[in-house]
Amino acid sequence: MLKSEKHRDLFTGEASSEKLQYKDTSETRRLRREMNEINSWFYQADLNFDESLSEKFVDISMVQLRRIFNNGSFKDGGRLYGGFWQRLSKEQRAKGLSINGSDTVSLDYGQIAPRILYAMVGVVPDFVDAYALPGLDPDMWRPIIKKVCSSMLFKAKDPKKIPEDIRKKWPDPLVRIETLVDMIKKHHRPVAHLFCKEVGFQVFRKESDIMVDLLLNLKSQGIVGLPVHDCVIVAKEHEAYARGAMQGAFRKHLGFDPVVERE
């Protein structure tokens, strides 16, 4: 699915985008073949969820995924949407989701967005934690830094205000948002010029390409992998293979090793 740029309603303030028509090319046909192969595999899988863990009805027949591209360009976005498991919380997936009768484990690409940024400029990152800044307590600041870093991928200018969803969690009122932005850029000097340049959807395209390759690899081995953006859910007995496949897909696209963690 190709969608337009988001436009903000002058009266409601809500942002929305429109579904666009497009002419098929060799690339769009390839993308569609990949999704058809993945979806056909999911239709054969035995997926179940313990409904007692959700107050809302969970329709486990919703297994068909689609890639949504953004800004009227197949170079932007491409994340996978539509699976019922994507609407579940982490806790619900961990406790109630099963694949072919087996308990599951969720494996996550750690800090994938900043690592993709480094790959975009041909630099191998040397940080252990992209969201740990010198001089700031990681226990207090890490989730704040992660949120600000993420928001800076989709902005055209440096933020001047603390994002509303983290304003009440801001650890120290003496640390201004401008100061934190400067610290992030200095800590990630090789990619500082990419922050606040609206490259977020380019990052999503690379991330989603990695995920599609991973899902096709898992299918080739008879393994069902359920994607949640930069995370994949597999049966516990397939965790070891899935970890290796995640590392291989990441290296293929970015040229260096990822961090793979349990969600």
Side-chain angles (χ1 to χ4, degrees), residues 3-7 15-19 70:
K3 303 191 83 172
S4 67
E5 292 186 47
K6 285 189 175 182
H7 302 285
S16 62
S17 56
E18 301 174 351
K19 182 179 177 180
N70 306 96

Side-chain angles (χ1 to χ4, degrees), residues 48-49 84-85 92-93 95-98 102-104 226 233:
N48 278 291
F49 176 68
F84 75 85
W85 59 89
Q92 289 172 328
R93 291 196 292 266
K95 294 180 180 180
L97 182 63
S98 66
S102 298
D103 291 340
T104 61
L226 306 177
I233 306 165

Side-chain angles (χ1 to χ4, degrees), residues 13 56 67 72-73 82-83 92 98 102 109 116 139 141 148 161 247:
K56 298 180 180 179
R67 292 187 75 175
S73 171
Q92 289 172 328
S98 66
S102 298
Y109 279 121
I116 289 175
D139 292 334
W141 281 98
V148 173
K161 295 182 179 179
Q247 292 168 350

Side-chain angles (χ1 to χ4, degrees), residues 17-33:
S17 56
E18 301 174 351
K19 182 179 177 180
L20 300 178
Q21 297 296 320
Y22 59 88
K23 292 183 178 180
D24 257 339
T25 65
S26 59
E27 181 185 20
T28 61
R29 286 190 286 269
R30 175 183 63 81
L31 295 170
R32 190 177 300 112
R33 283 196 302 271

Side-chain angles (χ1 to χ4, degrees), residues 180-208:
L180 186 63
V181 168
D182 287 342
M183 292 176 70
I184 291 171
K185 288 184 175 182
K186 288 178 181 178
H187 189 62
H188 293 292
R189 197 175 300 277
V191 296
H193 62 289
L194 294 178
F195 284 114
C196 302
K197 297 298 181 183
E198 298 181 302
V199 299
F201 285 111
Q202 296 175 41
V203 171
F204 280 178
R205 174 62 202 260
K206 182 60 70 174
E207 172 202 283
S208 60

Side-chain angles (χ1 to χ4, degrees), residues 14-184:
E14 295 183 356
S16 62
S17 56
E18 301 174 351
K19 182 179 177 180
L20 300 178
Q21 297 296 320
Y22 59 88
K23 292 183 178 180
D24 257 339
T25 65
S26 59
E27 181 185 20
T28 61
R29 286 190 286 269
R30 175 183 63 81
L31 295 170
R32 190 177 300 112
R33 283 196 302 271
E34 290 172 344
M35 291 311 303
N36 285 339
E37 183 176 348
I38 290 169
N39 284 325
S40 295
W41 179 232
F42 287 168
Y43 283 129
Q44 300 175 41
D46 177 16
L47 306 179
N48 278 291
F49 176 68
D50 183 350
E51 295 181 3
S52 68
L53 296 175
S54 176
E55 296 180 356
K56 298 180 180 179
F57 172 68
V58 177
D59 185 355
I60 62 172
S61 69
M62 296 180 62
V63 299
Q64 181 172 329
L65 298 179
R66 61 190 181 279
R67 292 187 75 175
I68 297 180
F69 296 87
N70 306 96
N71 301 326
S73 171
F74 284 101
K75 295 181 180 179
D76 288 353
R79 276 184 158 189
L80 290 79
Y81 295 92
F84 75 85
W85 59 89
Q86 296 177 328
R87 296 172 172 82
L88 304 175
S89 68
K90 293 180 181 180
E91 293 73 21
Q92 289 172 328
R93 291 196 292 266
K95 294 180 180 180
L97 182 63
S98 66
I99 299 176
N100 296 331
S102 298
D103 291 340
T104 61
V105 60
S106 297
L107 300 175
D108 181 73
Y109 279 121
Q111 309 156 47
I112 191 170
R115 293 177 186 277
I116 289 175
L117 287 184
Y118 275 74
M120 288 170 67
V121 298
V123 175
V124 177
D126 60 0
F127 52 77
V128 175
D129 186 347
Y131 307 121
L133 299 183
L136 296 180
D137 184 343
D139 292 334
M140 297 172 59
W141 281 98
R142 190 184 189 280
I144 302 296
I145 295 167
K146 181 177 181 179
K147 183 69 179 182
V148 173
C149 280
S150 297
S151 70
M152 288 167 64
L153 298 181
F154 294 91
K155 293 183 176 295
K157 298 180 180 179
D158 289 358
K160 301 298 182 183
K161 295 182 179 179
I162 299 172
E164 284 296 327
D165 55 344
I166 58 174
R167 182 178 295 277
K168 294 182 179 179
K169 301 176 183 178
W170 198 261
D172 186 350
L174 296 179
V175 177
R176 295 166 56 86
I177 181 68
E178 295 91 343
T179 302
L180 186 63
V181 168
D182 287 342
M183 292 176 70
I184 291 171

